[in-house]
Amino acid sequence: MQRDLSISFDKLGDVSVAAGDLSAARGYFADGLRIARQLAQADPTNAQMQRDLSISFNKLGDVSVAGGDLSAARGYFADGLRIARQLAQADPTNAQMQRDLSISFNKLGDVSVAAGDLSAARGYFADGLRIRQQLAQADPTNAQMQRDLSISFDRLGGVSVAAGDLAAARGYFADGLRIRQQLAQADPTNAQMQRDLSISYERLGDVSVAGGDLSAARGYFADGLRIARQLAQADPTNAQMQRDLSISFDRLGGVSVAAGDLAAARGYFADGLRIRQQLAQADPTNAQMQRDLSISFDKLGDVSVAAGDLSAARGYFADGLRIARQLAQADPTNAQMQRDLSISFNKLGDVSVAAGDLSAARGYFADGLRIRQQLAQADPTNAQMQRDLSISYERLGDVSVAGGDLSAARGYFADGLRIARQLAQADPTNAQMQRDIAVSYSKLANLCEKAGEPEANEHWRACLAVFDRMIAAGLHVSPQDLGVIDWLRRKLGG
């Protein structure tokens, strides 16, 4: 009876998560955890009771991630992992217990990625992959085990992209695609298998974009769109399928922007916006649907900026800001919602700079900085939050340079460089973090040149040294950055 009650609390929590009501979900899951803990303590040798307890920890971890509380999430997932490991060790031939352990590793990997700790994430995902390879090899006709293996490949591909290792990412995603093609062909009426296949195409499209191969990316995204459209047409009342279709439109819009085809990009983003407006109107209290809508407005704003239509861009960004502000006010402890709001401020700041309104730009960037300072202080080990803060300093530095206040700009750029250097030292194999240092040095160099100061060449040399270290370490350097390196060598006479 008590176990049934805990399951009921979990179900109500799941429904609250789906509706975007994280506060209610947290309450229900906490009630379920209380019962599960009592049952597990009363019968410590009962594997089912112990497993239920680990599931309760994972559910609270999931809702903590959704609420942006990564520290709490890490704690819950660690508690779940402890139990899962004990159960797997006690019954090594039990496939369910082994699978649960792989899930716990993946959850800790996901929270490590969100916190910017790619090294830890890679370790957790590798542990999960090892288990899933064993399970898939032991039961090659089990579709669930094969699907789990494809998910592990995707996780390692994602962390490789974040670390700038595109070759490794492409390999992992290709391994996942191979499995998913087989599963989709074996069960063509299974919507989940078809959806997984579309996701694999999108992952390979993303890594192709990052590697500069827009033709390959367009092909992958088109394959993903074809599947997403079929699934959405087959189940028009399924919000997830409709949402997936909007994401596919966004992917093709993004690659069109990268290729300079702004008309095509605008069409794709408009198609995505249409779907998201319908979803947001159908479920106005669903935070995810509202957030998706704000992202669509931002994407149309970005393409308007690229086309030089600053008035349209300002309108789209203002619509995005309106939603982002509502979501942040409704859930003030949700770090993701606060971060989204800071991004909206930055976008309006950027368009104000482009329009020559430096006073408005400074105001928007300052609003974004205020939020990011709070987020960085609340989670000092989160690399993403720290990096966001460095970007805000650079934005205010840029607008200070444009306004002729070189002293203020120097202070902002120095603050950005300090953070960038810390992040790069903490994660020396992360190409993005290393590149951020080079960008910071280049901004200080340009500032010194504008002020007529001799330290400019010192900063340019430091910038070049960063790129040289990246090349020596085998880190990804984009074709555009290779051009910058050539320019620096000529400028410095090297």
Side-chain angles (χ1 to χ4, degrees), residues 211-234:
D213 189 349
L214 301 185
S215 177
R218 191 178 293 107
Y220 287 125
F221 290 147
D223 285 336
L225 175 64
R226 173 180 49 79
I227 297 171
R229 184 179 272 127
Q230 291 170 347
L231 293 173
Q233 291 172 343

mmCIF file with all atom_site columns, all heavy atoms in Angstrom, residues 211-234:
data_model
loop_
_atom_site.group_PDB
_atom_site.id
_atom_site.type_symbol
_atom_site.label_atom_id
_atom_site.label_alt_id
_atom_site.label_comp_id
_atom_site.label_asym_id
_atom_site.label_entity_id
_atom_site.label_seq_id
_atom_site.pdbx_PDB_ins_code
_atom_site.Cartn_x
_atom_site.Cartn_y
_atom_site.Cartn_z
_atom_site.occupancy
_atom_site.B_iso_or_equiv
_atom_site.pdbx_formal_charge
_atom_site.auth_seq_id
_atom_site.auth_comp_id
_atom_site.auth_asym_id
_atom_site.auth_atom_id
_atom_site.pdbx_PDB_model_num
ATOM 1   N N   . GLY A 1 211 ? 31.978 21.751 -38.373 1.00 0.00 ? 211 GLY A N   1
ATOM 2   C CA  . GLY A 1 211 ? 33.172 21.492 -39.163 1.00 0.00 ? 211 GLY A CA  1
ATOM 3   C C   . GLY A 1 211 ? 33.214 22.249 -40.474 1.00 0.00 ? 211 GLY A C   1
ATOM 4   O O   . GLY A 1 211 ? 34.157 22.091 -41.255 1.00 0.00 ? 211 GLY A O   1
ATOM 5   N N   . GLY A 1 212 ? 32.192 23.062 -40.744 1.00 0.00 ? 212 GLY A N   1
ATOM 6   C CA  . GLY A 1 212 ? 32.174 23.885 -41.951 1.00 0.00 ? 212 GLY A CA  1
ATOM 7   C C   . GLY A 1 212 ? 31.671 23.186 -43.190 1.00 0.00 ? 212 GLY A C   1
ATOM 8   O O   . GLY A 1 212 ? 31.714 23.756 -44.287 1.00 0.00 ? 212 GLY A O   1
ATOM 9   N N   . ASP A 1 213 ? 31.156 21.955 -43.058 1.00 0.00 ? 213 ASP A N   1
ATOM 10  C CA  . ASP A 1 213 ? 30.653 21.212 -44.223 1.00 0.00 ? 213 ASP A CA  1
ATOM 11  C C   . ASP A 1 213 ? 29.144 21.426 -44.321 1.00 0.00 ? 213 ASP A C   1
ATOM 12  O O   . ASP A 1 213 ? 28.336 20.587 -43.908 1.00 0.00 ? 213 ASP A O   1
ATOM 13  C CB  . ASP A 1 213 ? 30.992 19.732 -44.083 1.00 0.00 ? 213 ASP A CB  1
ATOM 14  C CG  . ASP A 1 213 ? 30.706 18.945 -45.358 1.00 0.00 ? 213 ASP A CG  1
ATOM 15  O OD1 . ASP A 1 213 ? 30.053 19.499 -46.265 1.00 0.00 ? 213 ASP A OD1 1
ATOM 16  O OD2 . ASP A 1 213 ? 31.126 17.773 -45.446 1.00 0.00 ? 213 ASP A OD2 1
ATOM 17  N N   . LEU A 1 214 ? 28.740 22.566 -44.881 1.00 0.00 ? 214 LEU A N   1
ATOM 18  C CA  . LEU A 1 214 ? 27.331 22.943 -44.904 1.00 0.00 ? 214 LEU A CA  1
ATOM 19  C C   . LEU A 1 214 ? 26.522 22.059 -45.841 1.00 0.00 ? 214 LEU A C   1
ATOM 20  O O   . LEU A 1 214 ? 25.334 21.814 -45.606 1.00 0.00 ? 214 LEU A O   1
ATOM 21  C CB  . LEU A 1 214 ? 27.193 24.409 -45.309 1.00 0.00 ? 214 LEU A CB  1
ATOM 22  C CG  . LEU A 1 214 ? 27.906 25.416 -44.399 1.00 0.00 ? 214 LEU A CG  1
ATOM 23  C CD1 . LEU A 1 214 ? 27.589 26.835 -44.838 1.00 0.00 ? 214 LEU A CD1 1
ATOM 24  C CD2 . LEU A 1 214 ? 27.524 25.208 -42.943 1.00 0.00 ? 214 LEU A CD2 1
ATOM 25  N N   . SER A 1 215 ? 27.144 21.561 -46.895 1.00 0.00 ? 215 SER A N   1
ATOM 26  C CA  . SER A 1 215 ? 26.436 20.685 -47.822 1.00 0.00 ? 215 SER A CA  1
ATOM 27  C C   . SER A 1 215 ? 26.029 19.388 -47.135 1.00 0.00 ? 215 SER A C   1
ATOM 28  O O   . SER A 1 215 ? 24.881 18.941 -47.240 1.00 0.00 ? 215 SER A O   1
ATOM 29  C CB  . SER A 1 215 ? 27.324 20.385 -49.033 1.00 0.00 ? 215 SER A CB  1
ATOM 30  O OG  . SER A 1 215 ? 26.678 19.471 -49.905 1.00 0.00 ? 215 SER A OG  1
ATOM 31  N N   . ALA A 1 216 ? 26.967 18.790 -46.412 1.00 0.00 ? 216 ALA A N   1
ATOM 32  C CA  . ALA A 1 216 ? 26.649 17.567 -45.670 1.00 0.00 ? 216 ALA A CA  1
ATOM 33  C C   . ALA A 1 216 ? 25.600 17.851 -44.609 1.00 0.00 ? 216 ALA A C   1
ATOM 34  O O   . ALA A 1 216 ? 24.662 17.060 -44.408 1.00 0.00 ? 216 ALA A O   1
ATOM 35  C CB  . ALA A 1 216 ? 27.906 16.987 -45.035 1.00 0.00 ? 216 ALA A CB  1
ATOM 36  N N   . ALA A 1 217 ? 25.740 18.983 -43.921 1.00 0.00 ? 217 ALA A N   1
ATOM 37  C CA  . ALA A 1 217 ? 24.788 19.348 -42.868 1.00 0.00 ? 217 ALA A CA  1
ATOM 38  C C   . ALA A 1 217 ? 23.386 19.466 -43.435 1.00 0.00 ? 217 ALA A C   1
ATOM 39  O O   . ALA A 1 217 ? 22.411 18.962 -42.853 1.00 0.00 ? 217 ALA A O   1
ATOM 40  C CB  . ALA A 1 217 ? 25.209 20.663 -42.217 1.00 0.00 ? 217 ALA A CB  1
ATOM 41  N N   . ARG A 1 218 ? 23.268 20.129 -44.572 1.00 0.00 ? 218 ARG A N   1
ATOM 42  C CA  . ARG A 1 218 ? 21.947 20.313 -45.184 1.00 0.00 ? 218 ARG A CA  1
ATOM 43  C C   . ARG A 1 218 ? 21.320 18.952 -45.515 1.00 0.00 ? 218 ARG A C   1
ATOM 44  O O   . ARG A 1 218 ? 20.119 18.741 -45.313 1.00 0.00 ? 218 ARG A O   1
ATOM 45  C CB  . ARG A 1 218 ? 22.077 21.162 -46.449 1.00 0.00 ? 218 ARG A CB  1
ATOM 46  C CG  . ARG A 1 218 ? 20.739 21.633 -46.994 1.00 0.00 ? 218 ARG A CG  1
ATOM 47  C CD  . ARG A 1 218 ? 20.930 22.506 -48.223 1.00 0.00 ? 218 ARG A CD  1
ATOM 48  N NE  . ARG A 1 218 ? 21.575 23.767 -47.906 1.00 0.00 ? 218 ARG A NE  1
ATOM 49  C CZ  . ARG A 1 218 ? 22.833 24.090 -48.216 1.00 0.00 ? 218 ARG A CZ  1
ATOM 50  N NH1 . ARG A 1 218 ? 23.607 23.226 -48.836 1.00 0.00 ? 218 ARG A NH1 1
ATOM 51  N NH2 . ARG A 1 218 ? 23.331 25.269 -47.908 1.00 0.00 ? 218 ARG A NH2 1
ATOM 52  N N   . GLY A 1 219 ? 22.140 18.020 -45.981 1.00 0.00 ? 219 GLY A N   1
ATOM 53  C CA  . GLY A 1 219 ? 21.632 16.690 -46.294 1.00 0.00 ? 219 GLY A CA  1
ATOM 54  C C   . GLY A 1 219 ? 21.125 15.966 -45.057 1.00 0.00 ? 219 GLY A C   1
ATOM 55  O O   . GLY A 1 219 ? 20.039 15.368 -45.073 1.00 0.00 ? 219 GLY A O   1
ATOM 56  N N   . TYR A 1 220 ? 21.900 15.999 -43.997 1.00 0.00 ? 220 TYR A N   1
ATOM 57  C CA  . TYR A 1 220 ? 21.467 15.351 -42.748 1.00 0.00 ? 220 TYR A CA  1
ATOM 58  C C   . TYR A 1 220 ? 20.192 15.992 -42.209 1.00 0.00 ? 220 TYR A C   1
ATOM 59  O O   . TYR A 1 220 ? 19.255 15.301 -41.792 1.00 0.00 ? 220 TYR A O   1
ATOM 60  C CB  . TYR A 1 220 ? 22.575 15.431 -41.700 1.00 0.00 ? 220 TYR A CB  1
ATOM 61  C CG  . TYR A 1 220 ? 23.751 14.518 -41.945 1.00 0.00 ? 220 TYR A CG  1
ATOM 62  C CD1 . TYR A 1 220 ? 25.050 15.014 -42.005 1.00 0.00 ? 220 TYR A CD1 1
ATOM 63  C CD2 . TYR A 1 220 ? 23.567 13.138 -42.092 1.00 0.00 ? 220 TYR A CD2 1
ATOM 64  C CE1 . TYR A 1 220 ? 26.143 14.172 -42.215 1.00 0.00 ? 220 TYR A CE1 1
ATOM 65  C CE2 . TYR A 1 220 ? 24.662 12.296 -42.303 1.00 0.00 ? 220 TYR A CE2 1
ATOM 66  C CZ  . TYR A 1 220 ? 25.938 12.823 -42.364 1.00 0.00 ? 220 TYR A CZ  1
ATOM 67  O OH  . TYR A 1 220 ? 27.010 11.977 -42.560 1.00 0.00 ? 220 TYR A OH  1
ATOM 68  N N   . PHE A 1 221 ? 20.157 17.327 -42.202 1.00 0.00 ? 221 PHE A N   1
ATOM 69  C CA  . PHE A 1 221 ? 18.983 18.017 -41.665 1.00 0.00 ? 221 PHE A CA  1
ATOM 70  C C   . PHE A 1 221 ? 17.740 17.738 -42.513 1.00 0.00 ? 221 PHE A C   1
ATOM 71  O O   . PHE A 1 221 ? 16.631 17.624 -41.986 1.00 0.00 ? 221 PHE A O   1
ATOM 72  C CB  . PHE A 1 221 ? 19.228 19.522 -41.586 1.00 0.00 ? 221 PHE A CB  1
ATOM 73  C CG  . PHE A 1 221 ? 20.226 19.924 -40.525 1.00 0.00 ? 221 PHE A CG  1
ATOM 74  C CD1 . PHE A 1 221 ? 21.054 21.027 -40.712 1.00 0.00 ? 221 PHE A CD1 1
ATOM 75  C CD2 . PHE A 1 221 ? 20.343 19.218 -39.344 1.00 0.00 ? 221 PHE A CD2 1
ATOM 76  C CE1 . PHE A 1 221 ? 21.962 21.416 -39.737 1.00 0.00 ? 221 PHE A CE1 1
ATOM 77  C CE2 . PHE A 1 221 ? 21.258 19.587 -38.356 1.00 0.00 ? 221 PHE A CE2 1
ATOM 78  C CZ  . PHE A 1 221 ? 22.064 20.695 -38.558 1.00 0.00 ? 221 PHE A CZ  1
ATOM 79  N N   . ALA A 1 222 ? 17.929 17.639 -43.824 1.00 0.00 ? 222 ALA A N   1
ATOM 80  C CA  . ALA A 1 222 ? 16.791 17.329 -44.703 1.00 0.00 ? 222 ALA A CA  1
ATOM 81  C C   . ALA A 1 222 ? 16.253 15.931 -44.410 1.00 0.00 ? 222 ALA A C   1
ATOM 82  O O   . ALA A 1 222 ? 15.032 15.701 -44.416 1.00 0.00 ? 222 ALA A O   1
ATOM 83  C CB  . ALA A 1 222 ? 17.212 17.448 -46.171 1.00 0.00 ? 222 ALA A CB  1
ATOM 84  N N   . ASP A 1 223 ? 17.155 14.983 -44.156 1.00 0.00 ? 223 ASP A N   1
ATOM 85  C CA  . ASP A 1 223 ? 16.721 13.635 -43.795 1.00 0.00 ? 223 ASP A CA  1
ATOM 86  C C   . ASP A 1 223 ? 15.944 13.659 -42.470 1.00 0.00 ? 223 ASP A C   1
ATOM 87  O O   . ASP A 1 223 ? 14.927 12.990 -42.311 1.00 0.00 ? 223 ASP A O   1
ATOM 88  C CB  . ASP A 1 223 ? 17.923 12.697 -43.664 1.00 0.00 ? 223 ASP A CB  1
ATOM 89  C CG  . ASP A 1 223 ? 18.505 12.294 -45.005 1.00 0.00 ? 223 ASP A CG  1
ATOM 90  O OD1 . ASP A 1 223 ? 17.773 12.336 -46.013 1.00 0.00 ? 223 ASP A OD1 1
ATOM 91  O OD2 . ASP A 1 223 ? 19.705 11.929 -45.053 1.00 0.00 ? 223 ASP A OD2 1
ATOM 92  N N   . GLY A 1 224 ? 16.440 14.429 -41.529 1.00 0.00 ? 224 GLY A N   1
ATOM 93  C CA  . GLY A 1 224 ? 15.749 14.545 -40.250 1.00 0.00 ? 224 GLY A CA  1
ATOM 94  C C   . GLY A 1 224 ? 14.384 15.200 -40.401 1.00 0.00 ? 224 GLY A C   1
ATOM 95  O O   . GLY A 1 224 ? 13.403 14.767 -39.782 1.00 0.00 ? 224 GLY A O   1
ATOM 96  N N   . LEU A 1 225 ? 14.316 16.247 -41.230 1.00 0.00 ? 225 LEU A N   1
ATOM 97  C CA  . LEU A 1 225 ? 13.043 16.936 -41.462 1.00 0.00 ? 225 LEU A CA  1
ATOM 98  C C   . LEU A 1 225 ? 12.025 16.008 -42.101 1.00 0.00 ? 225 LEU A C   1
ATOM 99  O O   . LEU A 1 225 ? 10.839 16.016 -41.747 1.00 0.00 ? 225 LEU A O   1
ATOM 100 C CB  . LEU A 1 225 ? 13.268 18.161 -42.342 1.00 0.00 ? 225 LEU A CB  1
ATOM 101 C CG  . LEU A 1 225 ? 12.007 18.917 -42.777 1.00 0.00 ? 225 LEU A CG  1
ATOM 102 C CD1 . LEU A 1 225 ? 11.283 19.503 -41.566 1.00 0.00 ? 225 LEU A CD1 1
ATOM 103 C CD2 . LEU A 1 225 ? 12.343 20.025 -43.780 1.00 0.00 ? 225 LEU A CD2 1
ATOM 104 N N   . ARG A 1 226 ? 12.470 15.187 -43.045 1.00 0.00 ? 226 ARG A N   1
ATOM 105 C CA  . ARG A 1 226 ? 11.553 14.265 -43.731 1.00 0.00 ? 226 ARG A CA  1
ATOM 106 C C   . ARG A 1 226 ? 10.872 13.348 -42.721 1.00 0.00 ? 226 ARG A C   1
ATOM 107 O O   . ARG A 1 226 ? 9.642  13.172 -42.746 1.00 0.00 ? 226 ARG A O   1
ATOM 108 C CB  . ARG A 1 226 ? 12.330 13.439 -44.762 1.00 0.00 ? 226 ARG A CB  1
ATOM 109 C CG  . ARG A 1 226 ? 11.538 12.330 -45.428 1.00 0.00 ? 226 ARG A CG  1
ATOM 110 C CD  . ARG A 1 226 ? 12.386 11.573 -46.430 1.00 0.00 ? 226 ARG A CD  1
ATOM 111 N NE  . ARG A 1 226 ? 13.680 11.162 -45.885 1.00 0.00 ? 226 ARG A NE  1
ATOM 112 C CZ  . ARG A 1 226 ? 13.848 10.102 -45.094 1.00 0.00 ? 226 ARG A CZ  1
ATOM 113 N NH1 . ARG A 1 226 ? 12.823 9.356  -44.743 1.00 0.00 ? 226 ARG A NH1 1
ATOM 114 N NH2 . ARG A 1 226 ? 15.064 9.786  -44.658 1.00 0.00 ? 226 ARG A NH2 1
ATOM 115 N N   . ILE A 1 227 ? 11.658 12.802 -41.808 1.00 0.00 ? 227 ILE A N   1
ATOM 116 C CA  . ILE A 1 227 ? 11.090 11.904 -40.795 1.00 0.00 ? 227 ILE A CA  1
ATOM 117 C C   . ILE A 1 227 ? 10.196 12.680 -39.831 1.00 0.00 ? 227 ILE A C   1
ATOM 118 O O   . ILE A 1 227 ? 9.093  12.242 -39.494 1.00 0.00 ? 227 ILE A O   1
ATOM 119 C CB  . ILE A 1 227 ? 12.218 11.188 -40.030 1.00 0.00 ? 227 ILE A CB  1
ATOM 120 C CG1 . ILE A 1 227 ? 13.034 10.309 -40.974 1.00 0.00 ? 227 ILE A CG1 1
ATOM 121 C CG2 . ILE A 1 227 ? 11.640 10.349 -38.890 1.00 0.00 ? 227 ILE A CG2 1
ATOM 122 C CD1 . ILE A 1 227 ? 14.291 9.737  -40.346 1.00 0.00 ? 227 ILE A CD1 1
ATOM 123 N N   . ALA A 1 228 ? 10.679 13.833 -39.369 1.00 0.00 ? 228 ALA A N   1
ATOM 124 C CA  . ALA A 1 228 ? 9.902  14.624 -38.417 1.00 0.00 ? 228 ALA A CA  1
ATOM 125 C C   . ALA A 1 228 ? 8.559  15.040 -39.000 1.00 0.00 ? 228 ALA A C   1
ATOM 126 O O   . ALA A 1 228 ? 7.530  15.038 -38.302 1.00 0.00 ? 228 ALA A O   1
ATOM 127 C CB  . ALA A 1 228 ? 10.699 15.868 -38.002 1.00 0.00 ? 228 ALA A CB  1
ATOM 128 N N   . ARG A 1 229 ? 8.535  15.373 -40.295 1.00 0.00 ? 229 ARG A N   1
ATOM 129 C CA  . ARG A 1 229 ? 7.281  15.775 -40.938 1.00 0.00 ? 229 ARG A CA  1
ATOM 130 C C   . ARG A 1 229 ? 6.312  14.591 -41.022 1.00 0.00 ? 229 ARG A C   1
ATOM 131 O O   . ARG A 1 229 ? 5.105  14.740 -40.768 1.00 0.00 ? 229 ARG A O   1
ATOM 132 C CB  . ARG A 1 229 ? 7.572  16.338 -42.330 1.00 0.00 ? 229 ARG A CB  1
ATOM 133 C CG  . ARG A 1 229 ? 6.336  16.859 -43.020 1.00 0.00 ? 229 ARG A CG  1
ATOM 134 C CD  . ARG A 1 229 ? 6.670  17.417 -44.386 1.00 0.00 ? 229 ARG A CD  1
ATOM 135 N NE  . ARG A 1 229 ? 7.047  18.823 -44.358 1.00 0.00 ? 229 ARG A NE  1
ATOM 136 C CZ  . ARG A 1 229 ? 8.148  19.331 -44.868 1.00 0.00 ? 229 ARG A CZ  1
ATOM 137 N NH1 . ARG A 1 229 ? 9.041  18.553 -45.432 1.00 0.00 ? 229 ARG A NH1 1
ATOM 138 N NH2 . ARG A 1 229 ? 8.377  20.640 -44.828 1.00 0.00 ? 229 ARG A NH2 1
ATOM 139 N N   . GLN A 1 230 ? 6.850  13.411 -41.351 1.00 0.00 ? 230 GLN A N   1
ATOM 140 C CA  . GLN A 1 230 ? 5.994  12.219 -41.411 1.00 0.00 ? 230 GLN A CA  1
ATOM 141 C C   . GLN A 1 230 ? 5.380  11.922 -40.045 1.00 0.00 ? 230 GLN A C   1
ATOM 142 O O   . GLN A 1 230 ? 4.182  11.613 -39.938 1.00 0.00 ? 230 GLN A O   1
ATOM 143 C CB  . GLN A 1 230 ? 6.818  11.025 -41.886 1.00 0.00 ? 230 GLN A CB  1
ATOM 144 C CG  . GLN A 1 230 ? 7.263  11.104 -43.341 1.00 0.00 ? 230 GLN A CG  1
ATOM 145 C CD  . GLN A 1 230 ? 8.275  10.027 -43.718 1.00 0.00 ? 230 GLN A CD  1
ATOM 146 O OE1 . GLN A 1 230 ? 8.838  9.355  -42.850 1.00 0.00 ? 230 GLN A OE1 1
ATOM 147 N NE2 . GLN A 1 230 ? 8.525  9.870  -45.001 1.00 0.00 ? 230 GLN A NE2 1
ATOM 148 N N   . LEU A 1 231 ? 6.183  12.014 -38.995 1.00 0.00 ? 231 LEU A N   1
ATOM 149 C CA  . LEU A 1 231 ? 5.690  11.723 -37.652 1.00 0.00 ? 231 LEU A CA  1
ATOM 150 C C   . LEU A 1 231 ? 4.653  12.754 -37.204 1.00 0.00 ? 231 LEU A C   1
ATOM 151 O O   . LEU A 1 231 ? 3.647  12.413 -36.562 1.00 0.00 ? 231 LEU A O   1
ATOM 152 C CB  . LEU A 1 231 ? 6.854  11.680 -36.664 1.00 0.00 ? 231 LEU A CB  1
ATOM 153 C CG  . LEU A 1 231 ? 7.840  10.522 -36.858 1.00 0.00 ? 231 LEU A CG  1
ATOM 154 C CD1 . LEU A 1 231 ? 9.040  10.692 -35.919 1.00 0.00 ? 231 LEU A CD1 1
ATOM 155 C CD2 . LEU A 1 231 ? 7.166  9.176  -36.601 1.00 0.00 ? 231 LEU A CD2 1
ATOM 156 N N   . ALA A 1 232 ? 4.894  14.026 -37.530 1.00 0.00 ? 232 ALA A N   1
ATOM 157 C CA  . ALA A 1 232 ? 3.960  15.083 -37.140 1.00 0.00 ? 232 ALA A CA  1
ATOM 158 C C   . ALA A 1 232 ? 2.641  14.954 -37.895 1.00 0.00 ? 232 ALA A C   1
ATOM 159 O O   . ALA A 1 232 ? 1.562  15.189 -37.330 1.00 0.00 ? 232 ALA A O   1
ATOM 160 C CB  . ALA A 1 232 ? 4.588  16.453 -37.391 1.00 0.00 ? 232 ALA A CB  1
ATOM 161 N N   . GLN A 1 233 ? 2.709  14.566 -39.168 1.00 0.00 ? 233 GLN A N   1
ATOM 162 C CA  . GLN A 1 233 ? 1.491  14.381 -39.948 1.00 0.00 ? 233 GLN A CA  1
ATOM 163 C C   . GLN A 1 233 ? 0.705  13.161 -39.480 1.00 0.00 ? 233 GLN A C   1
ATOM 164 O O   . GLN A 1 233 ? -0.529 13.156 -39.496 1.00 0.00 ? 233 GLN A O   1
ATOM 165 C CB  . GLN A 1 233 ? 1.837  14.260 -41.430 1.00 0.00 ? 233 GLN A CB  1
ATOM 166 C CG  . GLN A 1 233 ? 2.361  15.550 -42.046 1.00 0.00 ? 233 GLN A CG  1
ATOM 167 C CD  . GLN A 1 233 ? 2.881  15.374 -43.473 1.00 0.00 ? 233 GLN A CD  1
ATOM 168 O OE1 . GLN A 1 233 ? 3.149  14.260 -43.921 1.00 0.00 ? 233 GLN A OE1 1
ATOM 169 N NE2 . GLN A 1 233 ? 3.034  16.485 -44.179 1.00 0.00 ? 233 GLN A NE2 1
ATOM 170 N N   . ALA A 1 234 ? 1.422  12.121 -39.046 1.00 0.00 ? 234 ALA A N   1
ATOM 171 C CA  . ALA A 1 234 ? 0.767  10.900 -38.592 1.00 0.00 ? 234 ALA A CA  1
ATOM 172 C C   . ALA A 1 234 ? 0.086  11.082 -37.236 1.00 0.00 ? 234 ALA A C   1
ATOM 173 O O   . ALA A 1 234 ? -0.860 10.349 -36.904 1.00 0.00 ? 234 ALA A O   1
ATOM 174 C CB  . ALA A 1 234 ? 1.774  9.753  -38.507 1.00 0.00 ? 234 ALA A CB  1
#
